[in-house]
Amino acid sequence: MLQERVPDFAKFVEPDRVRREVYTDPQIFDHEMQRVHERVWIYCGHESQVPRAGDYYTVQIGRQPMLMVRGKDGKIHVLYNRCPHRGNMMCGDRHGNAGEFFRCSYHAWTFQHDGRLRSIPMMESGYAGTRFGRGNPDCDMKKAARVESYRGFVFASLAQEGPGLLEFLGASKVAFDDMCDRAPEGEVEIVPNCFRVIQHSNWKIFLENQLDALHPSVVHQSTGRAAMEVEKQIRKKTGQAPLSYHMLSAFAEVTIEKWDGFQTLNYPYGHCILTGYMGLRPKDPDTLAYEKVMQKAYGKKRMEEIFGVNIHHVLIYPGLSVQSPLQQLRAVRPLGVDQTLTEIWHFRLKGAPEAIYRRSLAYYNLVNSPATLINADDLENFWKVHQGLASDGGDWVSFGRHYGRDIEKDGVVETGANMGTSEAPMRNQMKAWARYMKD
Ligand code: FES
Ligand SMILES: [Fe+2]
């Protein structure tokens, strides 16, 4: 009986197309939360979000409310945001400082920062001789099964079993190396607030769009053209337009043919790298000053290597998309089958001049803020895609662009020459999804 209720996921995914129910069926959503998000390594946050003992930040992993907290020994813990007594959420605020210990707001049980029970009011008279009390792990706040960080980026997995973080990240760890190496001090610091966007569409629609190199020249063309016009006028008047205009006009300049010149590299766990970074290394005084600091920190050869890393986006499946050269990332938190939260964070390069931070801030605002048309145009499509998929107008989603022309070497799928707009990343994500759903 039970067998019959568990769908056979294999029939939903074919190499070049996927059934629409994968995006719209609440039962499939529950299964994928359990088998994918609540099992693999999910990004929790950056260590600099919780600099002092007791600092915490809440985070959603799959359907689980979690919190990331710094202990007195400096160690970072990831705990279920739940009191073991009667289930009250321990921290109702998004972030804060717990003080010396956590204290539940309902009956005042207290816990160490690592989740261990510290005290229960009148523990002896209330619980002597019962199963409750210190030493019983059922009285501790439950911990994420595994927590690891890489270059300050903290991940947790809710499953005991599975590859370690570095094995899971594989080549996609370049996202963090690239971001941190661009800092003269070799590390980044989070800007402690983010854009939170709730999209009325399935989480996979967002992830598929991240490395969809075909869409920018279509969806963002109108914004790119408008920026280009203004950029031209300013240049005519003053001889030079601020770089921020170029960040937007590039959407009109980079045509589909140019995007085809880029490449995607697709990895077994569903991760993907899109190469072909739109050059943002002009010769303005700010960039030159930054290069000077970088050369001092690393030497010329290493500096050139760092600036030569050719990345536009790194997607770490199933919950993270990183744009390392612009110091920003988007964390994906599915809320329901048709509702997805994205948190868009950005970072400061430690030791870099303020102007370089201002530049990445400008990009961050230009593409993500509520005022921008870039994100708005994407969001409108995501919503429309979800509406279309919920209809009876068709059963399949097509990922056929350049299908059959991928080049596979040692488990890594590369798009062929001049096929940057291939739908290989979507095929690869669904291949990983089907594998997770089967195991
Ligand atoms: S629910 Fe937390 S102390 Fe009672
Ligand atoms: Fe877009």
Side-chain angles (χ1 to χ4, degrees):
M1 273 308 274
L2 187 67
Q3 263 322 9
E4 281 170 25
R5 286 205 301 270
V6 177
D8 174 9
F9 297 108
K11 69 174 193 255
F12 291 90
V13 180
E14 293 183 7
D16 62 340
R17 61 180 194 165
V18 173
R19 291 277 310 188
R20 69 182 178 99
E21 291 87 343
V22 165
Y23 300 82
T24 57
D25 182 336
Q27 201 193 354
I28 293 184
F29 178 80
D30 275 344
H31 281 290
E32 65 188 4
M33 288 304 101
Q34 201 186 345
R35 294 182 188 204
V36 189
H37 288 257
E38 292 169 15
R39 187 167 145 205
V40 305
W41 290 101
I42 296 288
Y43 175 67
C44 296
H46 192 262
E47 286 174 3
S48 58
Q49 270 170 275
V50 287
R52 296 165 307 148
D55 282 350
Y56 68 85
Y57 234 102
T58 58
V59 58
Q60 186 86 8
I61 298 184
R63 297 158 300 180
Q64 312 302 323
M66 309 294 292
L67 52 89
M68 172 174 85
V69 56
R70 169 94 60 180
K72 288 187 188 121
D73 57 358
K75 214 174 144 196
I76 289 180
H77 308 279
V78 178
L79 310 170
Y80 286 77
N81 187 5
R82 179 201 192 273
C83 175
H85 178 216
R86 298 248 293 275
N88 194 26
M89 215 179 231
M90 190 60 62
C91 299
D93 290 340
R94 185 169 283 146
H95 62 98
N97 186 283
E100 287 289 301
F101 47 81
F102 287 113
R103 182 178 182 278
C104 179
S105 62
Y106 203 178
H107 312 95
W109 287 29
T110 64
F111 304 87
Q112 311 290 0
H113 296 143
D114 64 3
R116 269 177 307 132
L117 178 69
R118 178 180 169 275
S119 68
I120 297 175
M122 306 176 68
M123 179 147 48
E124 274 310 307
S125 56
Y127 288 97
T130 74
R131 72 172 84 205
F132 300 101
R134 229 190 314 271
N136 176 354
D138 290 348
C139 295
D140 297 338
M141 288 170 70
K142 188 176 168 184
K143 292 178 177 195
R146 295 179 294 160
V147 181
E148 280 188 44
S149 71
Y150 181 67
R151 296 198 74 162
F153 296 83
V154 182
F155 287 75
S157 157
L158 303 187
Q160 290 291 353
E161 304 292 321
L165 179 63
L166 274 184
E167 187 193 334
F168 171 78
L169 291 176
S172 70
K173 83 179 178 60
V174 71
F176 309 113
D177 291 332
D178 185 40
M179 200 191 292
C180 296
D181 290 346
R182 284 170 187 269
E185 291 177 22
E187 52 183 35
V188 294
E189 175 174 53
I190 203 156
V191 178
N193 214 342
C194 71
F195 288 123
R196 285 189 169 77
V197 182
I198 292 181
Q199 317 180 358
H200 297 277
S201 47
N202 185 265
W203 61 277
K204 295 187 286 300
I205 296 170
F206 173 83
L207 279 186
E208 284 157 10
N209 182 70
Q210 289 304 288
L211 301 187
D212 180 331
L214 185 59
H215 91 282
S217 327
V218 181
V219 177
H220 306 307
Q221 194 191 56
S222 54
T223 308
R225 278 200 186 157
M228 197 185 260
E229 274 310 306
V230 183
E231 189 184 11
K232 259 194 231 154
Q233 284 168 23
I234 296 178
R235 192 170 290 131
K236 215 162 129 191
K237 268 194 215 147
T238 65
Q240 206 186 359
L243 184 66
S244 48
Y245 284 93
H246 180 68
M247 289 173 175
L248 285 182
S249 65
F251 283 100
E253 265 169 29
V254 185
T255 58
I256 293 178
E257 288 75 24
K258 281 193 192 159
W259 279 104
D260 257 334
F262 302 165
Q263 195 190 27
T264 59
L265 302 166
N266 300 281
Y267 298 92
Y269 289 115
H271 312 326
C272 180
I273 296 173
L274 172 65
T275 66
Y277 173 55
M278 294 184 279
L280 284 178
R281 197 180 165 189
K283 292 284 166 219
D284 62 289
D286 293 338
T287 309
L288 296 178
Y290 169 47
E291 288 186 6
K292 220 166 159 184
V293 186
M294 285 290 281
Q295 190 166 331
K296 200 164 164 220
Y298 292 102
K300 188 157 174 50
K301 189 166 165 269
R302 178 73 187 121
M303 178 188 81
E304 289 301 333
E305 264 171 32
I306 292 168
F307 286 144
V309 173
N310 186 25
I311 284 178
H312 187 69
H313 248 106
V314 179
L315 185 136
I316 299 170
Y317 192 77
L320 195 63
S321 158
V322 188
Q323 257 183 306
S324 48
L326 292 154
Q327 296 97 52
Q328 66 167 27
L329 61 77
R330 298 167 172 103
V332 184
R333 319 278 183 205
L335 303 178
V337 70
D338 58 357
Q339 213 175 55
T340 306
L341 167 71
T342 53
E343 296 169 2
I344 312 159
W345 294 94
H346 74 299
F347 297 82
R348 263 176 202 275
L349 299 173
K350 276 191 168 178
E354 180 68 11
I356 296 302
Y357 166 66
R358 293 275 146 201
R359 179 182 299 176
S360 83
L361 177 64
Y363 182 84
Y364 175 76
N365 282 324
L366 283 167
V367 299
N368 301 305
S369 85
T372 176
L373 287 175
I374 297 288
N375 205 23
D377 284 339
D378 281 326
L379 287 169
E380 198 206 358
N381 274 333
F382 301 161
W383 174 75
K384 283 159 69 187
V385 167
H386 197 99
Q387 294 305 303
L389 295 182
S391 79
D392 292 333
D395 290 332
W396 294 93
V397 174
S398 160
F399 295 136
R401 192 173 174 89
H402 292 308
Y403 174 60
R405 299 174 197 147
D406 302 328
I407 303 156
E408 191 160 347
K409 275 189 224 150
D410 304 326
V412 182
V413 174
E414 292 179 17
T415 46
N418 288 319
M419 292 179 202
T421 62
S422 164
E423 282 165 338
M426 300 82 181
R427 295 193 283 273
N428 192 53
Q429 286 168 44
M430 285 315 306
K431 199 162 120 189
W433 183 90
R435 203 178 303 132
Y436 281 129
M437 296 293 272
K438 187 158 60 68
D439 299 342

